[in-house]
Amino acid sequence: MFDLSRVATLNSVKEWYRQARGFNKTAVAILVGTKYDIFATLPAEEQAEVTKQARRFAKAMKAPLIFSSASHSINVHKVFKILLARVFDLRCNIPKIVNVGEPILEY
């Protein structure tokens, strides 16, 4: 998880991921950006840059990317549904959201 309103937190996730992979190479990874409600108020250029960096890292992790907001109930349940589908190799029928500025759901 990382804070969408503070891109520096994405860099922290990169290090945590590297460390976790050292302990368990087969664990299922998922990248969740939190505080989407705050992210949505940022300038479009900043949203685009954060989204670009998050997508690049999710791709490197071979992980779904989900933007969420617990305080506004945005994609919170979908995080768990996507994770369960990934863990149990099930088909996920949640519509993907790929447009910058929207609460991304890419899996």
Side-chain angles (χ1 to χ4, degrees), residues 24-89:
N24 185 338
K25 297 198 183 325
T26 62
V28 175
I30 186 168
L31 184 58
V32 179
T34 62
K35 299 184 182 175
Y36 173 78
D37 53 304
I38 297 169
F39 171 82
T41 67
L42 298 176
E45 302 81 29
E46 194 171 340
Q47 289 182 26
E49 183 58 30
V50 170
T51 301
K52 180 176 140 185
Q53 289 183 32
R55 281 179 168 151
R56 187 171 39 235
F57 190 51
K59 183 178 179 181
M61 292 170 61
K62 298 182 176 87
L65 174 62
I66 303 168
F67 289 3
S68 67
S69 170
S71 66
H72 287 70
S73 298
I74 298 170
N75 289 342
V76 175
H77 289 103
K78 292 174 184 172
V79 169
F80 295 99
K81 289 179 180 183
I82 291 168
L83 180 61
L84 287 172
R86 186 57 85 90
V87 168
F88 293 107
D89 197 25

